[in-house]
Amino acid sequence: METSHSPESAQLMEQILYEVKRVVVGQDRFLERVMVAMLAQGHLLVEGVPGLAKTLTVKTLADVVRGRFKRIQFTPDLVPADLIGTRIYNQKTGDFSTSLGPVFANLLLADEINRAPAKVQSALLEVMQERQVTIAGESHKVPAPFLVMATQNPIETEGTYPLPEAQVDRFMMKVLVDYPTDEEEYVIVERVTGPAVTVQSVATTDQLATLQAQCRNVYVDPSMVQYAVKLVSATRTPEKHGLKGLGAFITYGASPRATIGLVEGARALAMLRGRSYALPEDMTDLVPDVLRHRLVLSYEGLAEGLDADALIGRIMAAVTPPAKPLEHEKRAA
């Protein structure tokens, strides 16, 4: 049994981040979330205007861990076969052969997921959940590790198909990516217009699988699991947690997948921060990302000009995180 956190794995994660940062400027928070999803084996939904290095980040990460990277541009005329693959008839032999689609990758980028119709979205969501596809009655497993990152453009809603609530729930986190600062933008322009940077592969997909296994061993105190349960419960029945009147603004709260996402995410973030145990701040840092896409606001909430983040802020203020574990307790853990 491996230790839940060895110096080698900490060093390896540092090297991975260092290599990616040689290409990608800024976006540290976003990169951290991508790493959290990768370690916790979750999927990411990313919202941000075009040109903020979303594709570049994932592609660079794939290069650094020697993974297979595929990008699919979602368009209204896409069909599920374009994604998962299809059966091809060979006239010479009279046999059918299976041609596997681009979902057979380690890192899959679904660009502008809300531009494709529901049947294509659900084909992708099946792969995310089951990690396999069915073509003509035969199941094919996608390679491991497998991470889907889907992007949405918040500006244009013309000709888009919003993701159904039940499907959005399959994403562990929804991350908002913002414009770089002026200083970062200066560096971005220098890098892009300067000589090309080639990244080194510092890890393999097998090493990544080992890191994922170690992530499962990071200690999460029962009090923190209780905190996650309370937070998620407060999105369903705010009144029980002393949030009077908040229930009128929320049609649907978050599902148990949110609670699992908070615990798994806290583990991964603790591991990235070089610890073998999770602290309350590892979880509180991720609460907005794990919950924002899972709250369905009512007409009343939207009429009041509220958004999911505002409601999450109110829930977090009412549900207090557990106290930090004492040093001797951490050692015992």
Side-chain angles (χ1 to χ4, degrees):
M1 185 81 182
E2 301 229 12
T3 53
S4 60
H5 206 272
S6 62
E8 295 86 59
S9 51
Q11 199 183 345
L12 184 62
M13 286 188 298
E14 250 170 56
Q15 282 177 312
I16 292 171
L17 285 166
Y18 173 75
E19 280 300 319
V20 178
K21 284 181 180 182
R22 283 180 51 212
V23 175
V24 182
V25 182
Q27 301 304 9
D28 289 356
R29 217 180 130 272
F30 169 51
L31 182 55
E32 188 178 60
R33 298 304 181 263
V34 175
M35 290 292 289
V36 165
M38 213 163 190
L39 291 171
Q41 301 178 50
H43 304 289
L44 272 190
L45 183 59
V46 186
E47 193 169 284
V49 297
L52 299 181
K54 300 186 290 284
T55 309
L56 182 66
T57 303
V58 182
K59 186 181 183 318
T60 309
L61 190 58
D63 290 342
V64 172
V65 298
R66 293 197 197 107
R68 283 169 61 193
F69 168 77
K70 291 277 171 70
R71 175 179 171 274
I72 305 168
Q73 181 66 51
F74 276 48
T75 53
D77 60 352
L78 216 61
V79 294
D82 296 332
L83 217 65
I84 63 171
T86 187
R87 302 271 282 166
I88 293 172
Y89 179 66
N90 183 336
Q91 278 186 319
K92 280 187 187 150
T93 60
D95 290 332
F96 280 96
S97 61
T98 304
S99 160
L100 299 177
V103 293
F104 289 86
N106 297 114
L107 283 117
L108 179 70
L109 186 73
D111 239 335
E112 302 206 73
I113 190 172
N114 50 345
R115 292 223 170 273
K119 61 181 178 185
V120 180
Q121 293 176 0
S122 54
L124 176 68
L125 291 148
E126 183 203 352
V127 189
M128 285 167 54
Q129 188 64 25
E130 313 300 332
R131 292 176 196 265
Q132 63 173 34
V133 299
T134 309
I135 303 170
E138 261 185 72
S139 292
H140 302 269
K141 284 215 172 306
V142 291
F146 178 66
L147 169 75
V148 172
M149 196 176 105
T151 69
Q152 285 193 143
N153 179 347
I155 336 175
E156 301 170 65
T157 46
E158 210 42 52
T160 59
Y161 305 81
L163 283 168
E165 281 79 23
Q167 297 191 339
V168 170
D169 194 34
R170 305 256 170 108
F171 288 99
M172 180 184 172
M173 295 184 282
K174 177 178 177 181
V175 187
L176 306 178
V177 181
D178 211 357
Y179 287 112
T181 62
D182 289 358
E183 291 79 7
E184 285 169 349
E185 194 151 346
Y186 182 85
V187 181
I188 290 167
V189 176
E190 273 198 317
R191 262 192 217 176
V192 173
T193 56
V197 180
T198 46
V199 293
Q200 306 293 317
S201 299
V202 294
T204 61
T205 48
D206 289 347
Q207 283 174 302
L208 193 57
T210 307
L211 290 176
Q212 289 176 337
Q214 287 176 356
C215 184
R216 300 303 300 240
N217 295 330
V218 171
Y219 178 76
V220 179
D221 194 75
S223 66
M224 282 176 60
V225 179
Q226 201 112 40
Y227 172 60
V229 170
K230 273 190 193 154
L231 277 172
V232 175
S233 158
T235 67
R236 301 172 199 153
T237 49
E239 286 70 28
K240 276 190 190 168
H241 298 268
L243 287 152
K244 287 190 174 52
L246 203 65
F249 301 139
I250 303 173
T251 312
Y252 296 108
S255 79
R257 278 193 184 129
T259 320
I260 295 164
L262 284 172
V263 175
E264 297 284 13
R267 271 194 175 125
L269 201 48
M271 188 168 161
L272 272 179
R273 290 169 173 175
R275 280 184 270 104
S276 58
Y277 53 88
L279 290 177
E281 60 260 33
D282 297 325
M283 194 174 277
T284 50
D285 280 0
L286 293 172
V287 173
D289 293 328
V290 174
L291 293 182
R292 70 163 57 94
H293 54 302
R294 293 185 159 102
L295 296 191
V296 180
L297 271 63
S298 64
Y299 287 119
E300 207 171 322
L302 295 167
E304 290 278 326
L306 292 168
D307 61 6
D309 283 40
L311 295 175
I312 292 165
R314 283 163 72 168
I315 289 168
M316 287 180 80
V319 181
T320 49
K324 258 193 191 175
L326 296 168
E327 206 58 47
H328 64 269
E329 288 179 349
K330 285 191 297 209
R331 293 241 164 79

